[in-house]
Amino acid sequence: MTKVLIMNKNTEQGVLEFLKFLLENKKVKGVFSLKKIDKKGAVAYSLITNPKDLEDAVPFYPLMPVNAGNLLSRFTLNGPPKEPIAAVVKPCELRGFIELIKREQGSLENLLIISSTCGGVYPTKLEIDGTVEKNLSKYWDAVKKGQILNDIRPACKSCEEFTPYVTDITVDILGKNDLDKQCIMFLNTKKGEEIVKSIKADFSDNKIDGSKLDNIREKRGIEKKKLFEEIEKKMNGIDGLIQIFGKCISCHGCSKVCPICYCILCEFESSDSEYGPSNYETELRKRPGLRVPPGTLYYHLGRLTHMGISCVACGACDDVCPVDIPVSMIFKKVGESVQKMFDYIPGKNIEEEIPLITYKKDEFTEFEG
Amino acid sequence: MKKDEEFMPKILAFLCNWCSYAGADLAGTSRLKYPPSILPIRVMCSSRVDPIFVIRAYLSGIDGVIVAGCHPGDCHYQEGNYYTRRRFAMLKKVFEETGLEKDRLLLSWVSASEGQKYAKVATEFTGKIKGLGENSTKNKVFL
Amino acid sequence: MSKFKGAVITAKSGTEKTIIDMLEKTIDKGVFDAIIIPMRVPAGDSFAYVLIKDKSLLNDASVLPPTMFVQGAKAVSSVTRLGKGKTKIAAVMRPCEVRATIELAKLGQVDLENMTIISMDCPGVLPSSDFLKDPEKNIKLFNEAAKKLDDTIMRPVCQICNKSSMVSGDIHIGTLGAKKDAFFFISNSEKGEKVANKLGINLKDNIDSWQTKVKTISEEKHEKRKKAHKELKTKVGGIDNLVETFSHCINCHNCMRVCPVCICRLCYFDSDKVKHPADDYLERTESKGSMRFLPDTTLFQMGRMMHMSISCVSCGACEDACSMSIPVAQIFSMIADETQALFDYVSGRRLDESIPIVAYKEEELHEVEDAND
């Protein structure tokens, strides 16, 4: 049972009122949320310190221009803020942030984390031509019913981890029929309970509707199976990989937007991975020719082994790819299978060590030759 | 395609300095016979082996890769080989998921006194690789 | 222009086939050990540069592919950045890719000693996102458009490119102004002449018709370019318009990474210098009430512009790679024209021309100094 805050108004309005309450009563110094940043309605994450600016905040807008895990990491990289900040982020962004914290790339200190059950986001290219804005009511209709929309990110369609972990407050959104009339916020931690004292709202004790969410999880699982089957057909050995990554231009955008890929100098951009004249002479003795710049498959397979263990399957890589390679499905499929080996869900438990930096004395003996 | 009898595989073996490299050395000084397929690379500990070393070798056309270290519990650096085992398990899983030939990878524990084991592992693995044939990445252009 | 030496080559089996045959001959005769040239990828949905040793691969090569997925200079740089080696290489690229290669040579990123550069008259290149919609169909569309010199389906920067026949390499294939079933083999250097010699090509023909046609087209394009830039300036000029133009930018830095002349292994805008403590960000936010996070998107764009404008070759790779469809190439190319014109410089035009910001005259540019100094 968790303490629950109830407001009898539209969920987003309720949350905005709550954020306003926090700013006006100096419970937090700032708010981190999605916001309409210009007259044309471009949406981006923003820091907000003036309560009046909350008018343009759209905390649950179905868009993820950047994985907020990256942003929270950058915000706290050189230490936590002196005063509390409230941050509204999506579950996979939060999981990405937790994985980054495990790698000493940020901290939860002085952050009030607010998240929600998530209906998914649209690919960023649909924001540019205004499609997202036009489809908003259709989106919220589907979210209320717990249905999977056709044109959201494939990573979202197949996401079974749509309930956030490690939050101070979870907003009930997915599958909630009366989203327009009622705002329900689950106060999961002492911090969450403390901070809402003196707000004008009702309180009760409740727990999140497990069966409703299980139902949705099942539907997403079916979608995942379908998408995994498609990608499995393509990933059939070296020739399959050559087909999938044939159009890759080695821009490394996928790595740059990935919350887990935090290395300042990536191995695959370092001099270690550069080919010199003797490398080319060796290669040309073996093969009739070599694609240049070299190392496309090396980069992708290498990245799978380096970050697959922590992939939160947010889908940011898909959106940034200039040649539409289904990176997120590939990394989700391989990532999940690696994570399953260790019963690991990235970003779920901040105390749980990344499986590759820990061990048991007796395990995986089946892999020994 | 070379015939099996003519095909001498190229197998990269990452051998840890304190155990498996010494074991390989012992095989040599004991004049134990094993196929000339092994290209040894000495590392201080098997946990030095980054999966990307294996991937790079595999994509460059190497027919097989062995990662050899001390027996679990005997690592010169106490814990290294435990990490190696996890990392290797993960690497094999990645190969499996992407359809690459995971059977071309082998993890083996060879101690400094196990010259015979080294020769046995080398011989058996070479035979296995011969059965798999040449690694087709050898002549791919669009890697 | 008078330093060119040319020959008319009859191409009964088509220009591309004839050039491929010539390249095969150069491998046979040991003129080149390897050739860097685009090839269609096995899946058929793209073209990639391949360092070809076995001449049989040339059968699937394309001299003028419909797309420029990777900027050729990047491909060449990946082969010779660490030195020249013993391999004699020819690289077949579009003029803007050649210019980027020459510029990279000045930046120590390409070793030209064992490299012979071959270019051709360029009709433009398709945006890769358009190409990907239907690769098979778009190859045909591109070839037809190229024949008719119709640039309406090409990249926006290609449509206003007035350097599509600029020769900065060693050999240039001139298709403009040539008779039917023929093209000009134009040599621009000793290396070019040597190749012609080995191929039995006599560089004694008149190439006036090529030069005239090139001049006409580049003058037309120059006018079109001036007009387009004027319109663009009103659209993006001024701080408000600039901020709005880049409002969708997510700082993925794809533009920077695909740019041939952005060579820094660790870009300033990825370094510690732009990573500030939380309270600094909050202080900045307080002065405005709210602030986009991460901030400084416009700073990145303008900063990158400052850093590379003098070397920009207006290839358009950045715009193709932009994940948010921002017209980066059009803007950067417009500014590059002006910054380079300040010094009468054209990026990559000639190898013996220093990049202006690493050279100086003791007396110059007094007009930018305070009048009283």
Side-chain angles (χ1 to χ4, degrees), chain A residues 38 40 45 47 49-50 53 71 74-75 78 82 251 253 256 269 274 280-281 288-290 292 320, chain C residues 49 51 53-54 69 78 81 86 244 247-248 254 257 265 274-275 278-279 285-286 289-291 293 324:
Chain A
D38 62 21
K40 284 207 158 158
Y45 271 106
L47 271 177
T49 46
N50 186 339
D53 285 35
L71 302 176
R74 275 290 289 271
F75 184 64
N78 291 315
K82 285 207 195 72
C251 69
K256 289 300 177 268
E269 287 164 14
E274 270 191 76
Y280 285 110
E281 276 153 30
L290 181 68
V292 286
V320 80
Chain C
Y49 277 100
L51 177 66
K53 175 149 186 242
D54 186 337
F69 273 69
S78 73
R81 197 187 88 85
K86 299 179 233 124
E244 196 182 287
S247 66
H248 286 289
N254 273 4
R257 267 174 278 108
R265 215 191 273 287
V274 302
K275 294 178 183 168
D279 291 313
T285 310
E286 280 186 302
S290 63
M291 178 176 80
F293 196 81
M324 302 301 275

Side-chain angles (χ1 to χ4, degrees), chain B residues 80-117:
Chain B
N81 49 8
Y82 291 125
Y83 298 122
T84 313
R85 185 166 55 188
R86 281 212 167 189
R87 221 177 284 144
F88 189 84
M90 174 202 55
L91 176 65
K92 265 216 153 166
K93 182 58 85 164
V94 173
F95 263 58
E96 188 186 310
E97 288 287 318
T98 49
L100 299 175
E101 296 169 290
K102 64 179 166 77
D103 294 330
R104 292 188 185 272
L105 312 179
L106 180 73
L107 177 70
S108 183
W109 308 127
V110 177
S111 79
S113 58
E114 290 183 306
Q116 288 204 326
K117 180 169 184 196

Side-chain angles (χ1 to χ4, degrees), chain A residues 246-316:
Chain A
K247 41 186 180 159
C248 175
I249 63 173
S250 295
C251 69
H252 293 189
C254 44
S255 156
K256 289 300 177 268
V257 297
C258 175
I260 314 301
C261 277
Y262 71 92
C263 291
I264 298 172
L265 181 60
C266 173
E267 167 74 37
F268 305 100
E269 287 164 14
S270 73
S271 55
D272 282 352
S273 298
E274 270 191 76
Y275 278 34
S278 58
N279 296 105
Y280 285 110
E281 276 153 30
T282 309
E283 290 304 320
L284 290 183
R285 257 181 260 134
K286 281 186 242 174
R287 317 161 192 280
L290 181 68
R291 177 210 186 120
V292 286
T296 307
L297 286 187
Y298 173 57
Y299 162 70
H300 287 287
L301 288 168
R303 198 167 91 88
L304 273 172
T305 57
H306 278 189
M307 62 65 74
I309 191 70
S310 290
C311 174
V312 297
C314 65

Side-chain angles (χ1 to χ4, degrees), chain B residues 22-54:
Chain B
D25 219 28
L26 181 61
T29 53
S30 312
R31 301 284 182 262
L32 297 174
K33 291 211 187 322
Y34 58 88
S37 55
I38 310 288
L39 300 162
I41 294 184
R42 182 173 64 112
V43 290
M44 291 314 287
C45 178
S46 57
S47 63
R48 173 66 185 95
V49 179
D50 189 330
I52 65 176
F53 299 171
V54 180

Side-chain angles (χ1 to χ4, degrees), chain A residues 29-30 32 35 37-50 53 65-66 70-72 74-83 85 124-125 127-128 242-244 246-254 256-257 264-265 269-271 274-277 280-281 284-285 287-294 319-324, chain C residues 33-34 36 41-43 45-57 69-70 74-87 128-129 132 243-244 247-248 250-254 257-258 265-266 269-272 274-279 281-283 285-294 320-325:
Chain A
K29 177 134 186 218
F32 175 85
K35 179 175 174 290
I37 57 166
D38 62 21
K39 290 180 237 92
K40 284 207 158 158
V43 172
Y45 271 106
S46 298
L47 271 177
I48 302 166
T49 46
N50 186 339
D53 285 35
V66 181
N70 271 326
L71 302 176
L72 290 178
R74 275 290 289 271
F75 184 64
T76 56
L77 192 63
N78 291 315
K82 285 207 195 72
E83 294 170 61
I85 304 289
T124 44
K125 53 168 68 83
E127 190 216 358
I128 306 163
I242 288 176
Q243 296 262 322
I244 297 177
K247 41 186 180 159
C248 175
I249 63 173
S250 295
C251 69
H252 293 189
C254 44
K256 289 300 177 268
V257 297
I264 298 172
L265 181 60
E269 287 164 14
S270 73
S271 55
E274 270 191 76
Y275 278 34
Y280 285 110
E281 276 153 30
L284 290 183
R285 257 181 260 134
R287 317 161 192 280
L290 181 68
R291 177 210 186 120
V292 286
D319 276 0
V320 80
C321 179
V323 294
D324 299 331
Chain C
D33 302 314
I36 300 174
V41 300
D45 52 1
S46 170
F47 288 79
Y49 277 100
V50 180
L51 177 66
I52 294 178
K53 175 149 186 242
D54 186 337
K55 64 176 185 177
S56 65
L57 285 188
F69 273 69
V70 172
K74 269 191 132 53
V76 170
S77 166
S78 73
V79 176
T80 66
R81 197 187 88 85
L82 295 179
K84 59 183 186 281
K86 299 179 233 124
T87 321
S128 37
S129 51
L132 287 170
V243 171
E244 196 182 287
S247 66
H248 286 289
I250 58 172
N251 277 283
C252 69
H253 295 184
N254 273 4
R257 267 174 278 108
V258 299
R265 215 191 273 287
L266 180 62
F269 296 101
D270 289 332
S271 73
D272 275 348
V274 302
K275 294 178 183 168
H276 307 302
D279 291 313
Y281 288 123
L282 282 168
E283 207 177 300
T285 310
E286 280 186 302
S287 66
K288 306 176 210 224
S290 63
M291 178 176 80
R292 179 190 191 151
F293 196 81
L294 280 157
D320 248 22
C322 179
S323 50
M324 302 301 275
S325 304

